[in-house]
């Protein structure tokens, strides 16, 4: 057992499929318009995997980039957590597939499913292992292939989602930096509002789907919308209180990217300008648990954040689940 230390970000990376699906492409597939999608969601395009390519390939590339950024070898990684709600296989897990392909021979590996909140849940696990000194390097890969579970005939959902992966290597950092606090929560009784059936589908779910026994993603968009705006405010306020900070101490919020109107609604409730809330939604759509690590990678590479900045990370989604964290940037 090593001595206790702060846990922070050592390296970041992301990866997307090459294929771009624009709103104009979707106009040819379902009864929708570029204008409706842009106005109601803020999304312009999303990246889509070819049918014969598994989603974990994106995670492999993102993971390699994060390790290279941190200058840490794959054999040094102690634990790989892949956050996903779209695993290629239930077993072997996405994390084992990635472990094998990157050559992280000494790492333990498991998948964590908290839908779009997965990355924050993963961070809270990494924080415990690193703070206690039990592990030195924990790699979290948010890796999603939502195109594989979307019903491409359903305009209510197919315009919203995309594929992508973001990876972050966590490890020991200097005193005063890194993860300051994390907060996670769940409301299972609201889970019926977003479903992706796997080995079973309930009669209630079939009824909600208009009698259809399909294994695709189904969502009551307006219920999730109302929940998302409220929970973003609640979770952000909670971590600020826990950390003894105010919104004035925060440089940027990096939230889960689901809908620009959710981000603007939350900014209004939090009484902050929209530009304090990072968004890259127009390029990728909703990529579930990959959106926060991808957002961090983009914000860092765009030099929007620098050493010493306090960030709020906040996510919400299927389960229903939510999570938030405050991190003091150490890179
Ligand atoms: N193109 C054109 N019209 C559409 C489309 C479309 N793609 N989709 C829906 N419409 C229509 C509807 O049929 C409806 O028509 P009607 O009035 O004739 O019935 C009208 O537009 C309005 O529909 P609403 O559902 O009220 O539209 P809303 O403004 O609520 O936007 C949306 C829908 C974008 C889904 C929104 O509710 C939303 O973003 N919800 C949150 C989603 C989310 O955050 N998910 C996160 C978790 S996802 C996860 O964990 C996998």
């Amino acid at each position: 057992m090593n001595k206790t230390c702060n846990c922070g970000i050592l390296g970041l990376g992301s990866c997307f499929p090459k294929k771009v699906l624009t709103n104009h492409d979707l106009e040819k597939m379902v009864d929708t318009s570029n204008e409706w999608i842009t106005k109601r969601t803020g999304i312009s395009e999303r990246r889509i995997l070819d049918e014969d390519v598994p989603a974990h390939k994106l995670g492999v590339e993102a993971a390699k980039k994060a390790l290279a950024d941190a200058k840490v070898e794959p054999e040094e990684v102690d634990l790989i957590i892949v956050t996903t709600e779209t695993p290629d296989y239930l077993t072997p897990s996405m994390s084992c597939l990635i472990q094998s392909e990157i050559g992280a021979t000494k790492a333990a590996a498991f998948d964590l499913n908290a839908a779009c909140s997965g990355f924050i849940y993963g961070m809270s696990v990494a924080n415990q292992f690193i703070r206690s000194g039990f592990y030195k390097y924990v790699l979290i890969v948010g890796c999603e292939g939502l195109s594989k579970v979307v019903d491409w005939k359903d305009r209510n959902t197919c315009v919203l989602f995309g594929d992508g992966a973001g990876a972050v290597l966590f490890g020991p950092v200097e005193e005063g930096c890194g993860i300051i606090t994390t907060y996670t929560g769940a409301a299972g009784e609201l889970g019926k509002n977003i479903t992706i059936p796997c080995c079973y589908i309930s009669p209630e779910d079939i009824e909600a789907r208009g009698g259809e026994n399909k294994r695709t993603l189904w969502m009551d968009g307006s219920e999730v919308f109302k929940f998302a705006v409220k929970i973003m405010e609640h979770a952000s306020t909670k971590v600020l209180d826990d950390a003894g900070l105010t919104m004035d101490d925060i440089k940027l919020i990096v939230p889960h990217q689901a809908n620009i109107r959710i981000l603007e609604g939350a900014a209004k409730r939090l009484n902050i300008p929209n530009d304090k809330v990072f968004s890259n939604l127009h390029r990728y759509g909703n990529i579930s648990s990959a959106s926060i690590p991808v957002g961090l990678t983009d914000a860092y590479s765009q030099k929007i954040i620098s050493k010493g900045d306090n960030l709020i990370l906040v996510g919400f989604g299927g389960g229903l689940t939510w999570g938030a964290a405050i991190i003091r940037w150490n890179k």
Side-chain angles (χ1 to χ4, degrees):
M1 180 88 82
N2 302 319
K3 70 179 176 57
T4 60
C5 54
N6 280 18
C7 167
I9 290 177
L10 305 180
L12 305 103
S14 64
C15 181
F16 290 91
K18 284 203 174 65
K19 191 161 128 195
V20 176
L21 185 72
T22 66
N23 292 350
H24 294 294
D25 296 327
L26 281 160
E27 286 176 347
K28 296 175 201 135
M29 296 163 62
V30 286
D31 180 14
T32 191
S33 65
N34 174 47
E35 195 201 348
W36 191 95
I37 304 171
T38 312
K39 210 168 135 201
R40 305 303 293 166
T41 72
I43 302 165
S44 303
E45 59 187 42
R46 62 295 284 147
R47 301 296 189 91
I48 303 292
L49 281 161
D50 287 334
E51 255 173 55
D52 58 350
V53 179
H56 78 268
K57 295 288 179 192
L58 302 174
V60 168
E61 291 314 310
K64 284 180 182 169
K65 287 181 191 169
L67 291 175
D69 184 38
K71 299 186 177 59
V72 168
E73 296 301 322
E75 302 81 19
E76 295 178 85
V77 176
D78 297 299
L79 172 66
I80 300 174
I81 304 172
V82 173
T83 64
T84 187
E85 61 179 328
T86 51
D88 294 322
Y89 277 81
L90 290 181
T91 190
S93 64
M94 202 91 130
S95 51
C96 284
L97 294 170
I98 292 174
Q99 181 224 14
S100 150
E101 291 200 30
I102 66 172
T105 46
K106 295 202 187 88
F110 67 87
D111 284 4
L112 185 161
N113 178 355
C116 306
S117 318
F119 186 75
I120 306 289
Y121 271 67
M123 269 180 77
S124 69
V125 176
N127 194 29
Q128 306 308 317
F129 275 126
I130 290 167
R131 266 188 181 276
S132 67
F134 192 84
Y135 284 145
K136 186 170 179 193
Y137 296 126
V138 178
L139 179 65
I140 304 185
V141 189
C143 185
E144 303 281 7
L146 285 141
S147 66
K148 295 178 188 298
V149 297
V150 156
D151 177 354
W152 287 104
K153 293 194 179 90
D154 176 14
R155 71 173 185 177
N156 292 303
T157 49
C158 76
V159 303
L160 304 173
F161 297 97
D163 302 332
V168 176
L169 184 74
F170 287 90
V173 295
E174 65 198 80
E175 195 61 36
C177 279
I179 298 172
I180 295 173
T181 189
T182 63
Y183 163 56
T184 46
E189 71 281 6
L190 301 176
K192 61 183 181 200
N193 291 308
I194 309 174
T195 61
I196 311 175
C198 178
C199 304
Y200 170 76
I201 180 165
S202 72
E204 296 76 25
D205 200 8
I206 293 174
E207 199 186 328
R209 291 159 176 263
E212 290 192 88
N213 183 356
K214 281 191 190 161
R215 292 332 200 226
T216 47
L217 186 152
W218 181 87
M219 178 168 73
D220 183 335
S222 56
E223 281 303 310
V224 179
F225 190 99
K226 285 182 264 172
F227 162 82
V229 175
K230 280 189 212 143
I231 212 72
M232 263 189 75
E233 180 196 19
H234 161 73
S236 303
T237 308
K238 168 88 168 89
V239 286
L240 280 174
D241 288 349
D242 290 351
L245 298 174
T246 71
M247 205 45 100
D248 290 340
D249 301 311
I250 302 297
K251 173 74 185 290
L252 191 69
I253 299 185
V254 181
H256 169 51
Q257 310 279 316
N259 186 323
I260 197 71
R261 291 185 296 129
I262 293 176
L263 305 189
E264 288 169 359
K268 199 170 170 194
R269 280 170 168 257
L270 289 163
N271 203 18
I272 55 171
N274 287 336
D275 64 6
K276 204 163 175 167
V277 182
F278 183 79
S279 176
N280 55 12
L281 178 76
H282 55 292
R283 293 172 62 203
Y284 306 128
N286 182 343
I287 50 173
S288 192
S289 73
S291 75
I292 293 176
V294 164
L296 283 173
T297 308
D298 282 2
Y300 181 60
S301 65
Q302 291 164 20
K303 300 191 171 24
I304 301 172
I305 42 181
S306 45
K307 192 165 176 166
D309 286 342
N310 293 319
L311 312 181
I312 292 180
L313 315 181
V314 57
F316 51 86
L320 298 182
T321 55
W322 62 89
I326 294 185
I327 184 158
R328 186 163 300 140
W329 200 251
N330 54 274
K331 270 174 80 68

